[in-house]
Structures are given as structure tokens and as C-alpha cells.
Amino acid sequence: MTAELPILPTSDTGACCSRLTGGALDPSEAAILATRFKALGDPTRVRLLSLIAAAGDGEACICNLTDPVGLSQPTVSHHMKLLVNAGLVTREQRGRWAYYRLVPDALAVLAGSLDPARY
């Protein structure tokens, strides 16, 4: 007995294959991935992501991110702006403070894009 596997449309290849090892990326996909990886190319931004992920309610106020990284609020805000622009975190303004959350699955998508086992 044999079963036929469905053929996925080209736009759904990310569901089964690593985008980097599963075929050539189009220019817009490459630009998005490059922006996200570039944002993670700084140890401070990686640390900021880990602080947000480790927060009990999954979000962190900018006021709670400055001391752990030892930088001023404007510098941390700059790093957070890059993470928001890269699509890795979201920002919500509440009064005078900004609160940040990880974008669901954003890091998993990046990890999956490099996983040759998914090819």
C-alpha cells in the first residue's frame, strides 16, 4: 500500500524546508533575514532579548532593561528600536514608558532558516 504525499505550493516551502538550505531566497526574503540576523549581531541586543524572554509575564519595561546591560536609557532605546525594526520584538507605549515583548516564533523562524535537518 502506498500513499501519495501532497505537493505544497511554493509559498509553503517554509513549512517543510529550511529557507537557506532548501533553495535560493528571493531578494526580499534575504533582506528580511539579513536584517534580523544583523540585529542579533550585537551582544547587548542578544542580552536584551534574553531579558525580555526571561521576564515573568513575557514583557519588559525599558526602565527595567537599562541596569542589567549597564547602559543609559537612550542607548538601550536605540538597541530596542533596531530589534523592533527587525521584527523581533514589539513595542507598546504606556504613559511615559515603553514595554517590549518578543514576537511569537520570531527566533524559531530564524533558527529554522539555518537548520539543515529540515531540508
Side-chain angles (χ1 to χ4, degrees):
M1 179 184 272
T2 61
E4 288 186 27
L5 296 175
I7 297 174
L8 296 175
T10 306
S11 63
D12 288 343
T13 57
C16 70
C17 304
S18 166
R19 289 301 298 142
L20 291 180
T21 60
L25 295 170
D26 68 40
S28 64
E29 290 174 313
I32 291 168
L33 281 175
T35 299
R36 290 179 179 169
F37 282 119
K38 185 176 181 180
L40 292 175
D42 183 282
T44 298
R45 290 191 285 274
V46 173
R47 177 112 167 93
L48 288 166
L49 279 181
S50 74
L51 290 166
I52 296 167
D57 53 2
E59 72 176 10
C61 175
I62 191 76
C63 61
N64 295 323
L65 296 174
T66 56
D67 285 343
V69 295
L71 297 171
S72 68
Q73 187 273 324
T75 302
V76 173
S77 290
H78 168 74
H79 284 295
M80 294 308 302
K81 180 180 179 182
L82 295 174
L83 292 170
V84 169
N85 290 344
L88 297 170
V89 297
T90 60
R91 180 183 186 276
E92 181 184 336
Q93 190 71 35
R94 296 183 200 156
R96 65 182 284 204
W97 298 112
Y99 288 79
Y100 297 91
R101 287 186 168 275
L102 292 180
V103 171
D105 299 324
L107 298 177
V109 169
L110 286 177
S113 74
L114 296 173
D115 184 2
R118 293 181 66 192
Y119 177 61

